[in-house]
Amino acid sequence: MSTHLVRASGEFRPMLQLALPVLAEQSLEFLVGMVDTYLAGHALPDDLKTPGLAAVGLMAYAMWMTFTIFASVGVGATAVIARLIGAGEKEDAALAANQALVAGAFAAILGTAALYFGASGFVSIMQLEAEAAELAAQYLRIIAPSIPFLMIIAIGTACLHGAGDTVSGMGVMTIVNLINVGLSTTLAFGWGPAPQLGWSGIAIGTAVAHVVGGGLVLLLLAGGRAGMQLHWRWLRPDREMIWRLVRIGLPSGANDALTLGCHLWYLGLINSMGTLTAAAHGLGVRCEGPSFLGAGAFAVAASTMTGQYLGAKDPVRAFRGTMNSLGAGMALVSAYGVFLYFGGDILTWLYLGKVEPGSANAETAALTVRLLKIVAFSTPFMAILAILAGALRGAGDTRFPFLITMIGHLGIRIPGVYIIALDTIPLPFFGDVPGLGYGILGAWWVMVFDVVVRALLMTGRYWHGGWREIEV
């Protein structure tokens, strides 16, 4: 299935044909980070395992930050290409894909320089301690040269998603994951003739895997996959098309940047509570990750179906496609939430192995299990939030989701963490005032409340129906 979505009968089967390959693709991308976390808990000396887990937790946010750099272009590309494909304008859709990569190239240059030269400053701002900070900065410098290839993966697959091809990204990520697992593990443990590089080996394997993945996406586009043919004449900057992509994607990029900024602010507050708390938070986020994958996969389906059906002037099918995506996504993500609540100890064992009672790793595991029981309550609302936001993005409605993100993060999450989690709240001009001091457990309950409120607001926006009238 690629560009024939509009001609397909029904919405449920096309929705699954879109969502399931994306779920596999994102699961494979998640496994790249999962392998890094596993190796940090198994391949490093005992005295570096907890700092390594804390560093890997920050690296997950750093990699998210790099993808956020490309979000404005990627979201715009998906929406514009889906609308053009739905309207039968395939050549303009291919032009949009070429221009998306041109715009992404400029962003990649800036992102690479910022990550390489700003590694130490970034880690310092995030308040990691001693050995964890040193490991994190080293990882960032190793991974920085692969950023242009991450751009190609992010924007190239976004273009293919808009065209209705969600299978190619899955194939690319299968190869990326195999390379990452094999090379990172070999270099971290020093198997065979390979040197034992430990932490550096983990980062090198991840970087090489993403370089290969970016190269494969380029080959797919050069071959005209799903009609997204690369042409030299279309790679000259086209201001009108680039502005069309950015105009639609910029609010979404701002949304992702705001989300990331607030998450980093949130993470900095948690890191200030100590290395063990930072390690438990990072491991908890990693364990929670599959719930984001399920929601994200069905969000892509909702976005693509909405864009193509609106391009074909059929908002009724766009609505039905979103409802199918929402029902399936909520069921899957809620099921994983039940597993998080009852099976958290299984996940911590997977990452940390058998831990010695009374050790730092044992304390990290116990705290992580408590966090997973908290976040389990947010999973159905997370699905609602992500999938309806995806549908609105596919329609070109990116401004209201940005406003909802502002309300949630700046109005609820950040103030809530200061009040609920911290022992003291630093206030300008007034000095320190007492907080409730519930620590990281309080911080995660605030996070759950934020997700619930934003899900309800996103539902209200979607049901308002203004997305049916937006021009892209």
Side-chain angles (χ1 to χ4, degrees):
M1 174 178 177
S2 57
T3 63
H4 305 295
L5 178 62
V6 174
R7 295 194 293 273
S9 60
E11 291 80 34
F12 187 75
R13 181 175 292 179
M15 178 273 294
L16 289 180
Q17 288 176 324
L18 287 168
L20 294 181
V22 176
L23 180 60
E25 172 194 333
Q26 294 185 347
S27 298
L28 290 165
E29 175 65 27
F30 173 77
L31 283 173
V32 173
M34 182 179 174
V35 168
D36 288 356
T37 305
Y38 175 86
L39 292 174
H42 290 78
L44 300 182
D46 288 342
D47 61 329
L48 288 181
K49 286 181 178 178
T50 297
L53 288 171
V56 165
L58 180 57
M59 293 310 94
Y61 284 97
M63 298 310 293
W64 180 17
M65 179 172 65
T66 61
F67 276 100
T68 298
I69 294 172
F70 314 126
S72 295
V73 179
V75 169
T78 299
V80 170
I81 290 170
R83 189 70 67 95
L84 291 170
I85 290 291
E89 300 174 17
K90 296 181 180 180
E91 186 168 305
D92 284 345
L95 171 64
N98 281 256
Q99 292 302 303
L101 289 174
V102 171
F106 289 108
I109 292 170
L110 295 175
T112 301
L115 198 62
Y116 186 85
F117 294 106
S120 295
F122 171 71
V123 171
S124 176
I125 291 171
M126 297 314 301
Q127 302 186 61
L128 278 184
E129 298 177 341
E131 291 173 325
E134 183 179 342
L135 292 174
Q138 182 183 5
Y139 188 105
L140 288 176
R141 291 192 185 96
I142 292 172
I143 208 78
S146 71
I147 296 304
F149 297 92
L150 282 173
M151 178 277 294
I152 295 169
I153 293 173
I155 294 179
T157 54
C159 294
L160 292 171
H161 289 167
D165 177 11
T166 57
V167 175
S168 297
M170 177 185 68
V172 169
M173 289 314 304
T174 299
I175 296 170
V176 167
N177 196 65
L178 289 173
I179 293 172
N180 181 65
V181 170
L183 188 57
S184 292
T185 304
T186 298
L187 294 176
F189 285 105
W191 288 348
Q196 184 175 358
L197 300 179
W199 178 257
S200 297
I202 298 172
I204 291 170
T206 302
V208 170
H210 281 125
V211 169
V212 173
L216 290 174
V217 172
L218 270 183
L219 288 175
L220 287 172
L221 296 176
R225 183 71 173 179
M228 300 295 100
Q229 178 73 58
L230 290 181
H231 286 293
W232 284 112
R233 68 180 186 277
W234 288 345
L235 289 173
R236 297 181 187 137
D238 182 322
R239 292 183 181 180
E240 183 178 349
M241 180 58 78
I242 289 175
W243 171 241
R244 186 177 181 182
L245 297 170
V246 173
R247 178 175 58 83
I248 297 300
L250 192 58
S252 182
N255 178 84
D256 289 346
L258 175 63
T259 299
L260 174 63
C262 290
H263 271 274
L264 292 175
W265 190 349
Y266 176 84
L267 180 63
L269 294 173
I270 288 173
N271 287 344
S272 70
M273 300 176 193
T275 298
L276 190 147
T277 300
H281 174 79
L283 184 56
V285 169
R286 185 67 69 189
C287 293
E288 179 197 8
S291 60
F292 291 104
L293 303 181
F298 288 96
V300 169
S303 180
T304 301
M305 295 177 83
T306 298
Q308 291 202 18
Y309 287 139
L310 288 180
K313 310 299 181 185
D314 195 346
V316 173
R317 293 192 73 187
F319 176 81
R320 291 204 301 258
T322 296
M323 291 302 101
N324 278 289
S325 299
L326 185 60
M330 280 188 67
L332 179 63
V333 175
S334 298
Y336 187 71
V338 173
F339 177 65
L340 285 175
Y341 189 88
F342 292 104
D345 53 342
I346 298 173
L347 292 170
T348 57
W349 172 82
L350 176 65
Y351 283 110
L352 298 176
K354 185 177 180 181
V355 296
E356 293 294 328
S359 66
N361 275 358
E363 293 181 62
T364 300
L367 182 54
T368 302
V369 170
R370 297 178 70 186
L371 298 179
L372 296 180
K373 289 184 181 295
I374 293 171
V375 81
F377 290 102
S378 73
T379 50
F381 298 96
M382 185 189 308
I384 293 170
L385 176 62
I387 293 167
L388 292 185
L392 292 174
R393 284 196 300 269
D397 184 357
T398 53
R399 294 180 183 178
F400 272 89
F402 174 59
L403 293 175
I404 290 169
T405 298
M406 287 185 65
I407 292 169
H409 285 302
L410 296 179
I412 297 174
R413 183 173 299 203
I414 297 301
V417 170
Y418 276 99
I419 296 168
I420 303 296
L422 300 185
D423 294 315
T424 58
I425 307 169
L427 293 177
F429 309 114
F430 295 97
D432 292 343
V433 298
L436 296 180
Y438 285 100
I440 190 173
L441 298 178
W444 276 54
W445 276 117
V446 169
M447 178 175 65
V448 170
F449 182 65
D450 164 38
V451 170
V452 171
V453 171
R454 284 190 289 135
L456 295 176
L457 291 174
M458 198 70 73
T459 300
R461 174 57 185 171
Y462 187 81
W463 246 257
H464 172 268
W467 53 271
R468 294 179 174 91
E469 310 300 327
I470 292 175
E471 295 290 334
V472 302

PDB file of all heavy atoms in Angstrom, residues 238 353 461:
ATOM      1  N   ASP A 238      13.673  25.889  -3.327  1.00  0.00           N
ATOM      2  CA  ASP A 238      12.436  26.467  -3.863  1.00  0.00           C
ATOM      3  C   ASP A 238      11.749  27.166  -2.694  1.00  0.00           C
ATOM      4  O   ASP A 238      11.118  26.527  -1.854  1.00  0.00           O
ATOM      5  CB  ASP A 238      11.557  25.359  -4.442  1.00  0.00           C
ATOM      6  CG  ASP A 238      10.272  25.883  -5.073  1.00  0.00           C
ATOM      7  OD1 ASP A 238       9.677  26.831  -4.524  1.00  0.00           O
ATOM      8  OD2 ASP A 238       9.839  25.325  -6.089  1.00  0.00           O
ATOM      9  N   GLY A 353      19.340  -6.985  35.072  1.00  0.00           N
ATOM     10  CA  GLY A 353      19.704  -8.327  35.482  1.00  0.00           C
ATOM     11  C   GLY A 353      19.447  -8.527  36.971  1.00  0.00           C
ATOM     12  O   GLY A 353      18.750  -7.744  37.624  1.00  0.00           O
ATOM     13  N   ARG A 461     -10.788  20.028  20.974  1.00  0.00           N
ATOM     14  CA  ARG A 461     -10.395  20.677  19.722  1.00  0.00           C
ATOM     15  C   ARG A 461     -10.787  19.826  18.514  1.00  0.00           C
ATOM     16  O   ARG A 461     -11.311  20.343  17.515  1.00  0.00           O
ATOM     17  CB  ARG A 461      -8.879  20.933  19.695  1.00  0.00           C
ATOM     18  CG  ARG A 461      -8.359  21.470  18.367  1.00  0.00           C
ATOM     19  CD  ARG A 461      -9.038  22.752  17.959  1.00  0.00           C
ATOM     20  NE  ARG A 461      -8.609  23.205  16.625  1.00  0.00           N
ATOM     21  CZ  ARG A 461      -9.174  24.212  15.967  1.00  0.00           C
ATOM     22  NH1 ARG A 461     -10.180  24.878  16.499  1.00  0.00           N
ATOM     23  NH2 ARG A 461      -8.723  24.548  14.774  1.00  0.00           N
TER      24      ARG A 461
END
